[in-house]
C-alpha cells in the first residue's frame, strides 16, 4: 500500500488514510469529511498467488 501524505485535500474519487479511535484506517467519503485526512491512497497491491504450493519447495525449478 502506498499513501501520499502530501495530498490531504478531499477528492470524491479517492480513498484516504485517517485516524479513527487510535487506529489508522482507509476510508472513502461521498462529501468533504470533518476529520483530518492523513494522506491519499495511491496504490494497493496484494501478493502474488502461488498456484502450486509444492513447486516452491524445489529451488531448482524455474517458473514457466
Amino acid at each position: 500500500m502506498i499513501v501520499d501524505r502530501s495530498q490531504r485535500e478531499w477528492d470524491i474519487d479517492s480513498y484516504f488514510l485517517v485516524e479513527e479511535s487510535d487506529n489508522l484506517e482507509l476510508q472513502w467519503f461521498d462529501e468533504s469529511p470533518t476529520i483530518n485526512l492523513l494522506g491519499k491512497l495511491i496504490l494497493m497491491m496484494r501478493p502474488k498467488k502461488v498456484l502450486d504450493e509444492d513447486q516452491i519447495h524445489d529451488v531448482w525449478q524455474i517458473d514457466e
Side-chain angles (χ1 to χ4, degrees):
M1 177 170 68
I2 298 175
V3 175
D4 186 351
R5 293 181 56 205
S6 68
Q7 295 186 26
R8 297 182 181 193
E9 289 189 28
W10 172 76
D11 176 17
I12 195 165
D13 297 323
S14 301
Y15 283 83
F16 290 90
L17 185 67
V18 295
E19 183 178 0
E20 187 82 24
S21 304
D22 294 331
N23 293 318
L24 293 177
E25 296 182 0
L26 287 173
Q27 292 186 5
W28 175 82
F29 303 96
D30 59 348
E31 56 187 37
S32 185
T34 57
I35 61 175
N36 189 21
L37 301 175
L38 301 177
K40 180 179 176 180
L41 178 67
I42 302 298
L43 178 68
M44 169 106 31
M45 295 180 71
R46 83 178 103 155
K48 180 179 175 182
K49 185 175 182 180
V50 177
L51 300 177
D52 185 4
E53 293 287 336
D54 294 329
Q55 187 178 24
I56 63 172
H57 299 294
D58 295 333
V59 183
W60 57 270
Q61 291 188 355
I62 298 173
D63 188 22
E64 296 180 341

